[in-house]
Amino acid sequence: MNIVLWIIAAVLAVLFLGVGLMKLVRPKEKLVASGLGWAENYRPETIKIIGGLEVLAAIGLILPALLDIAPVLVPLAALGLVITMVGAIVVHGRRREYPGLAANVVLLVLSAVVAWGRFGPYSF
């Protein structure tokens, strides 16, 4: 199970690092044009904050455990992603963006599995 949790955390970290950096680097207009329609309803600063939080969570899923420095940050990062995905599900649901909604539900479940495993029976 420890290996499974590492794999899930690594997949989530790569995904959220990429998506978060994209939100940090690209202007709002390019994000909307590339298919992130929800971004049109938010200020550019808010989008950058979301991107920054996703990057921090991606780092928090891997580095604390890898370096054995404050490994309790791993489940906290996963819990932060659970909260982020709940917000994303609400946004996509209101906009009736069902493909985005389904992807967010999968990411929520994966993040919850890491949080459960690292807070509980498979903590560091």
Side-chain angles (χ1 to χ4, degrees):
M1 188 63 175
N2 186 45
I3 294 171
V4 171
L5 289 171
W6 269 106
I7 292 170
I8 294 171
V11 168
L12 288 171
V14 168
L15 181 80
F16 280 103
L17 183 65
V19 171
L21 287 174
M22 180 181 65
K23 290 173 187 164
L24 284 172
V25 174
R26 287 190 181 174
K28 174 182 173 176
E29 296 75 26
K30 286 193 177 185
L31 291 173
V32 172
S34 69
L36 299 178
W38 63 268
E40 67 188 354
N41 296 338
Y42 292 89
R43 296 185 350 221
E45 298 82 15
T46 304
I47 297 168
K48 302 291 182 205
I49 290 170
I50 294 169
L53 291 173
E54 289 173 345
V55 168
L56 288 174
I59 292 167
L61 284 172
I62 302 298
L63 281 186
L66 193 63
L67 300 175
D68 197 27
I69 299 173
V72 71
L73 294 176
V74 174
L76 291 174
L79 188 59
L81 288 175
V82 167
I83 294 166
T84 302
M85 289 301 98
V86 168
I89 288 168
V90 169
V91 168
H92 287 294
R94 285 182 180 168
R95 293 179 53 88
R96 297 182 182 1
E97 296 172 342
Y98 298 115
L101 185 69
N104 291 138
V105 169
V106 170
L107 293 172
L108 172 106
V109 169
L110 291 175
S111 299
V113 167
V114 173
W116 164 80
R118 294 307 184 199
F119 270 131
Y122 304 100
S123 62
F124 296 106

